[in-house]
Amino acid sequence: MSEMNTTMATPQGKMRFRQELADFWHFLRQPDLRRLPGRRASSGLASDWWSGIPFGRLLAWAAVLWLLNFIALGPLAVLAANSGGAAHRMDPTAIPWLTAILWAPLIEEMLFRYGLRRPRQALWVCPAMLPPLLWGVQGWTVAWVVAVILLASLPLRRGHIKRSGWQMDWRRYYRWRFGWVYHLSALIFAAVHLNNFRLADVPYWMLPLLVLPQWSAGLVVGWMRVRRGIGAAMLLHGIFNSGPILIIMLVLNRAG
């Protein structure tokens, strides 16, 4: 365990929220593949899909993102959209909330973040998740996603993955370049959400401003995936998406 993890851990091997914030800030500058203190270092299914993170901690991270977007990034995105003539494709009063809270976090985390810890599996998992992303919730896409997750889980069923010499060399190279992969995944995640807009004649330089909220979310959820596992990343993604939907529902109910 690194010196940073040892000094930041509590006697119970857990971290306070302010310590996690400090770890995230350090991670942004120097991304690495360490887990948080108190987590097993195995590659098992339980370690990756269930971290035991309290709901309150996930809610705290979601609150950080909501606050950041409400105060800074959200207004910048709205200003860019209004200035460039971009319009949102989806009617905010008709957002399919189950899709936003359950389906989107599952599909997008498997596509953009699962491979951060499983780079070799990402070579086939990422292409395999494109059909559910493009065709949405249907009977066959649900079955497809279940099959992909089961196939991806097979090598982890015994809690470890055996690696040959060349695989270990490749993994060391991946660790060396991991920072580029992490930041690139957040940028691609944000760029995909440009499809949510009718861009009209928006200048190219203004496009990144439209998806600043998604970019920030991608950075935080990517950190969560590496430090606590894919299950925690999906839960945080779903909670983050639920905030705006809840606000829209409250406004509509009051207006009605």
Side-chain angles (χ1 to χ4, degrees), residues 120 163-171:
R120 293 181 63 226
R163 298 185 176 94
S164 62
W166 74 267
Q167 290 172 337
M168 293 301 294
D169 291 339
W170 189 88
R171 187 167 180 80

Side-chain angles (χ1 to χ4, degrees), residues 106-163:
L106 174 63
I107 302 304
E108 293 178 357
E109 292 311 307
M110 289 298 296
L111 177 60
F112 294 105
R113 253 81 63 174
Y114 179 80
L116 291 179
R117 275 202 171 277
R118 315 280 181 222
R120 293 181 63 226
Q121 285 189 325
L123 298 177
W124 70 267
V125 169
C126 289
M129 297 308 295
L130 290 177
L133 179 71
L134 297 174
W135 276 277
V137 184
Q138 300 184 43
W140 72 270
T141 56
V142 172
W144 183 281
V145 171
V146 172
V148 170
I149 292 176
L150 289 177
L151 287 173
S153 301
L154 285 179
L156 311 177
R157 64 190 184 281
R158 295 179 182 176
H160 66 279
I161 301 176
K162 295 182 179 180
R163 298 185 176 94

Side-chain angles (χ1 to χ4, degrees), residues 152-202:
S153 301
L154 285 179
L156 311 177
R157 64 190 184 281
R158 295 179 182 176
H160 66 279
I161 301 176
K162 295 182 179 180
R163 298 185 176 94
S164 62
W166 74 267
Q167 290 172 337
M168 293 301 294
D169 291 339
W170 189 88
R171 187 167 180 80
R172 280 192 290 268
Y173 179 80
Y174 176 73
R175 286 178 177 273
W176 180 41
R177 295 294 188 183
F178 174 70
W180 289 94
V181 177
Y182 162 72
H183 284 291
L184 186 60
S185 71
L187 288 173
I188 295 175
F189 173 70
V192 167
H193 285 80
L194 287 172
N195 189 54
N196 292 344
F197 296 91
R198 296 185 180 91
L199 297 176
D201 297 322
V202 180

Side-chain angles (χ1 to χ4, degrees), residues 7-182:
T7 57
M8 294 179 68
T10 64
Q12 292 77 25
K14 298 180 180 179
M15 296 174 70
R16 300 181 186 277
F17 183 61
R18 60 180 176 82
Q19 294 171 325
E20 286 194 6
L21 285 171
D23 181 75
F24 171 68
W25 180 246
H26 176 80
F27 184 88
L28 281 181
R29 292 171 291 162
Q30 296 181 337
D32 60 75
L33 288 165
R34 290 181 295 110
R35 291 174 170 84
L36 288 181
R39 291 204 58 215
R40 295 179 299 171
S42 72
S43 298
L45 286 173
S47 177
D48 207 26
W49 285 91
W50 178 250
S51 64
I53 181 173
F55 178 78
R57 182 61 56 87
L58 289 171
L59 192 60
W61 275 107
V64 168
L65 285 171
W66 292 331
L67 187 62
L68 177 64
N69 289 329
F70 180 76
I71 293 177
L73 303 185
L76 280 175
V78 171
L79 179 62
N82 292 337
S83 300
H88 210 284
R89 293 180 183 275
M90 186 172 294
D91 181 358
T93 64
I95 296 177
W97 62 272
L98 279 178
T99 298
I101 296 176
L102 299 178
W103 182 255
L106 174 63
I107 302 304
E108 293 178 357
E109 292 311 307
M110 289 298 296
L111 177 60
F112 294 105
R113 253 81 63 174
Y114 179 80
L116 291 179
R117 275 202 171 277
R118 315 280 181 222
R120 293 181 63 226
Q121 285 189 325
L123 298 177
W124 70 267
V125 169
C126 289
M129 297 308 295
L130 290 177
L133 179 71
L134 297 174
W135 276 277
V137 184
Q138 300 184 43
W140 72 270
T141 56
V142 172
W144 183 281
V145 171
V146 172
V148 170
I149 292 176
L150 289 177
L151 287 173
S153 301
L154 285 179
L156 311 177
R157 64 190 184 281
R158 295 179 182 176
H160 66 279
I161 301 176
K162 295 182 179 180
R163 298 185 176 94
S164 62
W166 74 267
Q167 290 172 337
M168 293 301 294
D169 291 339
W170 189 88
R171 187 167 180 80
R172 280 192 290 268
Y173 179 80
Y174 176 73
R175 286 178 177 273
W176 180 41
R177 295 294 188 183
F178 174 70
W180 289 94
V181 177
Y182 162 72

Side-chain angles (χ1 to χ4, degrees), residues 202-255:
V202 180
Y204 289 119
W205 65 268
M206 196 177 286
L207 294 179
L209 299 178
L210 297 176
V211 290
L212 282 175
Q214 288 81 7
W215 171 70
S216 65
L219 291 174
V220 172
V221 179
W223 171 86
M224 183 67 70
R225 188 277 175 270
V226 171
R227 290 294 197 249
R228 289 192 178 272
I230 191 65
M234 290 176 180
L235 288 173
L236 176 57
H237 193 154
I239 294 172
F240 172 70
N241 284 358
S242 69
I245 293 176
L246 180 60
I247 292 175
I248 291 172
M249 292 175 64
L250 291 175
V251 170
L252 291 177
N253 286 338
R254 179 168 295 185

